Amino acid sequence: SYVRFTMGQDTLTLFLGEHLALLPGSGGSSVAGASSVFAGYGITDESSGYDDYSGIDARGKVVWVLRYAPRQAPFSRRSPHAWFEKKIENARQHGAVGLVLVSGKLNGPDEQPPESGEQLDGFYEDTKPPVDGIPAVFLSRQGAEAIGTVVGFDIFQQETAIEQSQAPASCDLLGLSVDLSARMERKPQATRNVIGYLPGTDLAEEL
């Protein structure tokens, strides 16, 4: 699996474990030469009227989104809108063909994919079981900064704009082309549960 970012004559390719990891819920497919849009936190919330997809057209494009949710009511780091599968599904419903997720600088520490690219420690703690969807990857902050230098886009500056205005700051990433390949193979695996037996000290004869 890999992601290739192209802007004019400049190209940057990242592979799993190289600032890149597959998200739970990612679909196992490929995207070639897709345009890009930035869609804030990737949230559409009818109850509050907050919609990161308002004013942009994500159809046929790779969507860049921030992890978690805005630091404003009614959202929180653990709200359903912060779940990976929610962001992936919302992107798919808006016609996106791929998703790139980045941990912003205002919502906690960064994570780095391990060299194997198989698992990102602590990265799955707030997810539900995976669902089939569009190919979706996590990109480290360092990776996002490297790409931002090439394409002239600062996702962390957009994050600050969202927090300051408490409103979406979505935009087209003009000229940025993305090739995304997500190869996945799910294998059933047996595991063990450990049961501990601790004898009581009172009422020992009662069941």
Side-chain angles (χ1 to χ4, degrees), residues 93-161:
Q93 289 181 357
H94 282 88
V97 294
L99 181 140
V100 176
L101 182 139
V102 178
S103 286
K105 295 184 176 181
L106 303 180
N107 267 315
D110 192 19
E111 290 87 6
Q112 292 292 332
E115 293 182 1
S116 66
E118 294 175 355
Q119 182 177 353
L120 194 61
D121 291 341
F123 196 65
Y124 306 113
E125 61 186 11
D126 56 357
T127 66
K128 288 188 174 182
V131 295
D132 291 331
I134 58 178
V137 296
F138 161 77
L139 181 66
S140 72
R141 288 176 187 165
Q142 188 175 351
E145 288 171 343
I147 294 165
T149 299
V150 172
V151 305
F153 173 70
D154 189 340
I155 192 172
F156 307 113
Q157 189 175 63
Q158 295 298 106
E159 177 192 23
T160 299

Side-chain angles (χ1 to χ4, degrees), residues 3-18:
V3 180
R4 179 178 295 115
F5 304 92
T6 303
M7 186 79 168
Q9 299 298 316
D10 297 318
T11 298
L12 179 62
T13 303
L14 298 176
F15 296 90
L16 285 188
E18 198 176 89

Side-chain angles (χ1 to χ4, degrees), residues 38-109:
F38 171 67
Y41 288 90
I43 292 173
T44 300
D45 182 55
E46 295 182 358
S47 61
S48 66
Y50 187 97
D51 187 5
D52 281 312
Y53 286 89
S54 177
I56 60 172
D57 184 2
R59 291 175 295 180
K61 300 176 182 178
V62 171
V63 174
W64 291 60
V65 300
L66 291 160
R67 192 184 179 189
Y68 296 121
R71 298 189 301 173
Q72 64 189 67
F75 307 113
S76 72
R77 283 169 56 99
R78 299 300 180 187
S79 68
H81 289 295
W83 296 344
F84 297 143
E85 70 271 15
K86 285 282 189 179
K87 295 179 185 289
I88 295 171
E89 178 60 18
N90 197 32
R92 188 191 65 80
Q93 289 181 357
H94 282 88
V97 294
L99 181 140
V100 176
L101 182 139
V102 178
S103 286
K105 295 184 176 181
L106 303 180
N107 267 315

